[in-house]
């Protein structure tokens, strides 16, 4: 599994992903799951991946390769005119990759499925955020649902539901996602540090700040320890339950 | 889905279960998932069920029927000598029910699987708590893992991990589980109120207090509202994230 979140704020977009991949429990390794295409001043596109690693790597490689072969008749992520077309292209590439594995050769027990989050901005359009399903179709984050999670999503969802607010600052959004990742990492061994994050500021058309949070990152360790105490305090602050006489 | 939790405290056992069952989204109904067998002063056994409703109802009916047919050669949940034997009997009954559906007649798309939590005390033994897998085998809650969840377990796990403490009072344990259920209910429509709870006090050999928490229960509503605020306060109390210059 993996855990990735894409968040739409009024100020822009925030992306965060873990780096753990595993096939069973004895084949555990570390892979980056965040990929960015940028033409400064014109477009910034960020992709987060969860699911079968061979599938997601093939999708990223195909998108990458085709963006560097301008004569190719396949569509190019650096040339399509809108974020909607980007999401469509990513979905089609995913379908192509999964389809090419389906019918011949060794069969696998588990499907080659993957889920993707893709977001960014292309000149002339607004910043947009999409969730691409394993089937290649996709939905967009809008008014009511302004964040997407893929991979091991459940442990870290309650805190996002309660504390997310579209007006929040980039700093608060990163703090919120670190708490959500910490809850997930504590409950599930298939998600782990290091964590990558990146922000995109609306209208900038440049990659925003980004960083990798390592296991010994003092801020993350502090958040992780403090959150336990803060949760317990929050729990204690709730009115006591009393048996009815 | 369902959501049920069994918690082992130093003072005894706490059980909580929701009541929602659904087949798809257009066949939603309400069924109790908590069942108790008691012979006051001699044994108290509580069973929580999640999974295929036909399977869990058949398991409960068989256990019930056999406890009322003393001449029957099948083992009787009211007669077996230990909680270990109770867990074994429950597991065998589950295997029997699932096995009887396996080979003839209409095939279903989804398996008839179910998971069960069974706990209680029989005179001469300690209170014990077991998780019975769909395959019929089972594990016991012990030193390191003192609670079991079945059904839609992930949303409500982080708060239990952070706030559970074996020394806590029954009242605090019920409050903790209500918070865990509230987080789950807010994130997932397959779990819903009303919620049933029951406690068992070590050594009492009588069913402890129990109740049903309805949708309009003022304490639950209060907890549910306050928890959002408390979580936000907890989140705000964490040190601010700052971009490195």
């Amino acid at each position: 599994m993996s855990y990735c979140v894409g968040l739409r704020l009024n100020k822009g977009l925030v992306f965060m992903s873990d780096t753990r991949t595993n096939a069973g429990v004895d084949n555990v390794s570390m892979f980056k799951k965040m990929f960015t295409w940028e033409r400064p001043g014109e477009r910034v596109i960020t992709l987060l991946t969860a699911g079968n690693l061979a599938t997601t790597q093939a999708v990223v490689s195909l998108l990458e390769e085709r963006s560097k072969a301008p004569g190719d008749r396949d569509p190019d992520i650096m040339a399509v005119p809108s974020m909607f077309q980007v999401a469509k292209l990513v979905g089609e590439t995913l379908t192509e990759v999964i389809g090419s594995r389906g019918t011949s050769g060794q069969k696998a027990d588990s499907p080659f499925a993957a889920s993707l989050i893709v977001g960014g901005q292309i000149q002339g359009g607004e910043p947009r955020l999409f969730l691409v399903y394993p089937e290649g179709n996709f939905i967009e984050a809008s008014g009511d649902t302004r964040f997407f999670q893929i991979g091991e999503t459940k442990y870290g969802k309650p805190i996002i539901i309660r504390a997310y607010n579209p007006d929040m600052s980039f700093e608060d959004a990163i703090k919120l996602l670190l708490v959500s990742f910490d809850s997930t990492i504590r409950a599930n061994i298939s998600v782990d540090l290091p964590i990558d994050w990146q922000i995109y500021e609306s209208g900038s058309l440049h990659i925003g700040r980004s960083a990798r949070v390592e296991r010994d990152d003092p801020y993350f360790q502090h958040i992780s320890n403090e959150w336990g105490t803060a949760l317990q305090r929050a729990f204690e602050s709730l009115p006591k339950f009393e048996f009815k006489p």
Side-chain angles (χ1 to χ4, degrees), chain A residues 163-230:
Chain A
Y164 167 75
N165 161 6
D167 288 325
M168 70 201 310
S169 67
F170 285 121
E171 288 90 338
D172 279 351
I174 289 171
K175 179 174 133 182
L176 171 59
L177 293 187
L178 288 176
V179 170
S180 173
F181 272 67
D182 176 55
S183 295
T184 308
I185 288 168
R186 288 202 172 231
N188 191 295
I189 57 159
S190 77
V191 177
D192 203 8
L193 295 154
I195 293 166
D196 294 313
W197 61 259
Q198 186 182 90
I199 64 170
Y200 173 74
E201 202 173 328
S202 283
S204 70
L205 295 168
H206 285 82
I207 297 182
R209 290 164 183 275
S210 69
R212 169 160 288 191
V213 180
E214 300 283 352
R215 192 179 303 280
D216 59 359
D217 183 88
Y219 180 73
F220 184 79
Q221 286 184 347
H222 196 56
I223 286 276
S224 178
N225 295 334
E226 283 290 300
W227 183 239
T229 317

Side-chain angles (χ1 to χ4, degrees), chain A residues 101-145:
Chain A
R101 294 286 167 285
T103 49
S104 61
Q106 173 80 32
K107 297 285 182 295
D109 290 336
S110 62
F112 299 109
S115 300
L116 308 168
I117 290 172
V118 61
Q121 187 172 18
I122 294 179
Q123 204 175 22
E126 289 298 301
R128 295 173 76 174
L129 183 69
F130 298 88
L131 171 68
V132 182
Y133 293 108
E135 292 77 8
N137 54 353
F138 53 88
I139 57 174
E140 180 174 4
S142 64
D144 295 326
T145 301

Side-chain angles (χ1 to χ4, degrees), chain A residues 9-185:
Chain A
L9 302 178
N10 293 335
K11 296 189 173 59
L13 303 170
V14 181
F15 302 93
M16 192 173 283
S17 58
D18 84 318
T19 51
R20 169 153 289 187
T21 72
N22 66 304
V25 291
D26 50 3
N27 188 357
V28 176
S29 38
M30 204 176 101
F31 283 92
K32 186 162 184 176
K33 299 167 194 170
M34 182 183 291
F35 305 90
T36 307
W37 289 264
E38 181 196 28
R39 181 176 298 130
E42 198 268 330
R43 71 179 62 203
V44 178
I45 297 161
T46 300
L47 183 71
L48 304 176
T49 66
N52 183 285
L53 185 65
T55 298
T56 59
Q57 286 195 344
V59 168
V60 172
S61 297
L62 279 177
L63 290 170
E64 186 67 27
E65 216 168 275
R66 287 168 184 171
S67 76
K68 290 178 178 157
D72 201 331
R73 67 191 176 86
D74 286 309
D76 168 1
I77 195 166
M78 295 303 282
V80 294
S82 69
M83 282 305 298
F84 176 79
Q85 294 292 337
V86 168
K88 190 159 165 287
L89 172 60
V90 169
E92 285 164 2
T93 310
L94 179 59
T95 306
E96 178 188 340
V97 169
I98 294 179
S100 71
R101 294 286 167 285
T103 49
S104 61
Q106 173 80 32
K107 297 285 182 295
D109 290 336
S110 62
F112 299 109
S115 300
L116 308 168
I117 290 172
V118 61
Q121 187 172 18
I122 294 179
Q123 204 175 22
E126 289 298 301
R128 295 173 76 174
L129 183 69
F130 298 88
L131 171 68
V132 182
Y133 293 108
E135 292 77 8
N137 54 353
F138 53 88
I139 57 174
E140 180 174 4
S142 64
D144 295 326
T145 301
R146 319 231 336 172
F147 66 90
F148 289 130
Q149 305 167 284
I150 53 176
E152 194 58 75
T153 61
K154 296 183 178 184
Y155 304 106
K157 191 172 185 185
I159 181 64
I160 303 183
I161 293 181
R162 301 284 194 157
Y164 167 75
N165 161 6
D167 288 325
M168 70 201 310
S169 67
F170 285 121
E171 288 90 338
D172 279 351
I174 289 171
K175 179 174 133 182
L176 171 59
L177 293 187
L178 288 176
V179 170
S180 173
F181 272 67
D182 176 55
S183 295
T184 308
I185 288 168

